[in-house]
């Protein structure tokens, strides 16, 4: 019997203008999972702590991605999975992706790494689809590859790893309400006016250029979403006040993390990030809504064995 304990990181998808294609990986928020080989065939989830999630593999995000890999791998044994869930489901920081990635990453290690990172992303997307009813990889890719990633295409899957500026920090404000990804997708318009599309792809292009050139000023000017945020921000209490306060306290840009309700602020340096944390804590403490706040360097490694 062989086993591994891993930390599967939280991630921020979309990054304002990059709906369904851009994402980055967080450093100090993640689920722990233990995966071990077992003579009994199949995938067996034996322990779940933290949140109430299904034990049946085919109803559990980590189980579904693991089953997808198992079916492909054609091996004569199975795996047990223990999940120590730290990322709240429905928080907007890639809770389901962390589960989906954790099982397949660890299984791949235990099998001697037969699959590359893109293939792992493909298996994990099957688990993610169970949660959001749509196959997208903008949370999964940064959890597996680390840093910033761009999903060039889903079919066939093509992931680009983007550079991460050295001194970039993220502040995550998580209002303790739940927004289901499937519902946050259902409210989006099916068509986009050409003028908004032009603004959006100009921002995506300049954001990617800013990452490549370490240009914090251009990064700041690119973190704008005119397509999705106007609809989803209505679901997040005090979103505009949070954005205004974070920008006033030095954030480079502010946006909805994934499908919300978490709000991310990107900051140049830890000191600026801590100033934003103080300001947002004060602002949100004045609302009646419980919240968590995290400050994290961008994690360039992605998922880790511990
Ligand atoms: N890109 C996805 C969305 C991320 O915003 O719906 C959430 O899973």
């Amino acid at each position: 019997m062989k086993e591994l304990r891993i930390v599967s990181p939280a991630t921020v998808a979309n990054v304002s203008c990059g709906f369904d294609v851009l994402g980055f990986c967080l450093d100090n928020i993640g689920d722990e999972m233990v995966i071990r080989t077992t003579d009994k065939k199949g995938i067996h989830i034996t322990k779940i702590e933290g949140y109430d999630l299904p034990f049946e593999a085919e109803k559990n995000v980590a189980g579904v991605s693991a089953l997808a890999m198992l079916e492909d791998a054609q091996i004569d044994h199975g795996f047990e999975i223990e999940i120590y869930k730290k990322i709240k489901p429905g928080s907007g920081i890639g809770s389901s992706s962390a589960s989906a990635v954790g099982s397949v990453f660890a299984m791949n290690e235990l099998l001697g790494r037969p699959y590359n990172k893109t293939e792992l992303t493909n298996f994990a997307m099957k688990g993610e689809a169970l949660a959001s009813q749509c196959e997208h990889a903008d949370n999964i890719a940064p959890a597996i590859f680390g840093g910033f990633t761009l999903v060039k295409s889903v079919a066939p899957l093509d992931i680009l790893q983007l550079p991460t500026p050295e001194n970039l920090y993220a502040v995550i404000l998580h209002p303790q309400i739940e927004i289901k990804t499937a519902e946050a997708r259902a409210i989006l318009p099916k068509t986009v006016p050409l003028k908004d599309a032009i603004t959006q792809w100009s921002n995506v292009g300049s954001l990617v250029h800013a990452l490549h050139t370490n240009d914090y000023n251009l990064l700041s000017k690119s973190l704008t979403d005119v397509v999705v945020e106007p609809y989803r921000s209505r679901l997040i209490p005090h979103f505009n006040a949070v954005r205004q306060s974070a920008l006033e306290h030095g954030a480079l840009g502010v946006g909805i993390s994934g499908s919300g309700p978490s709000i991310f602020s990107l900051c140049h340096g830890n000191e600026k990030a801590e100033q934003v944390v103080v300001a947002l804590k004060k602002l949100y403490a004045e609302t009646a809504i419980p919240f968590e706040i995290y400050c994290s360097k961008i994690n360039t490694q992605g998922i880790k064995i511990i």
Side-chain angles (χ1 to χ4, degrees), residues 23 35 42 53 57 94 102 131 150 186 188 191 241 276 284:
I35 314 319
L53 297 167
L150 186 139
L188 299 178
T191 56
V276 170
Y284 233 77

Side-chain angles (χ1 to χ4, degrees), residues 72-232:
D72 188 83
Q74 301 282 322
I75 48 172
D76 61 358
H77 63 84
F79 292 90
E80 282 181 3
I81 302 176
E82 295 177 5
I83 303 170
Y84 301 89
K85 193 84 194 142
K86 311 259 166 78
I87 313 169
K88 188 173 190 282
S91 55
I93 50 172
S95 178
S96 50
S97 298
S99 298
V101 165
S103 55
V104 295
F105 171 83
M107 284 165 61
N108 191 46
E109 294 292 315
L110 291 169
L111 291 172
R113 294 195 196 156
Y115 297 108
N116 65 29
K117 290 182 176 182
T118 302
E119 289 165 327
L120 293 184
T121 304
N122 237 328
F123 294 129
M125 275 168 56
K126 308 293 174 214
E128 172 78 291
L130 177 74
S132 62
Q133 287 151 37
C134 158
E135 285 197 4
H136 54 93
D138 50 340
N139 283 109
I140 293 167
I144 291 179
F145 289 80
F148 279 80
T149 53
L150 186 139
V151 183
K152 166 84 178 70
S153 125
V154 168
L157 190 59
D158 189 0
I159 311 288
L160 305 182
Q161 268 189 286
L162 303 173
T164 302
E166 175 57 32
N167 215 6
L168 196 60
Y169 285 76
V171 174
I172 309 292
L173 174 80
H174 173 203
Q176 301 282 297
I177 58 167
E178 186 175 344
I179 295 179
K180 290 200 186 319
T181 297
E183 287 164 18
R185 295 180 82 82
I187 63 166
L188 299 178
K190 299 287 171 278
T191 56
V192 175
L194 184 60
K195 143 175 119 26
D196 291 343
I198 292 167
T199 304
Q200 198 83 349
W201 58 57
S202 148
N203 282 327
V204 175
S206 58
L207 195 153
V208 170
H209 186 68
L211 295 174
H212 275 278
T213 53
N214 238 9
D215 187 338
Y216 289 92
N217 187 33
L218 182 62
L219 183 63
S220 176
K221 288 194 288 182
S222 313
L223 286 165
T224 301
D225 172 10
V226 296
V227 172
V228 173
E229 191 179 287
Y231 296 89
R232 287 186 171 173

Side-chain angles (χ1 to χ4, degrees), residues 275-296:
Q275 284 167 12
V276 170
V277 167
V278 171
L280 298 190
K281 260 188 188 165
K282 185 166 179 293
L283 186 150
Y284 233 77
E286 285 164 13
T287 75
I289 303 161
F291 66 98
E292 297 279 352
I293 196 156
Y294 312 98
C295 179
S296 171

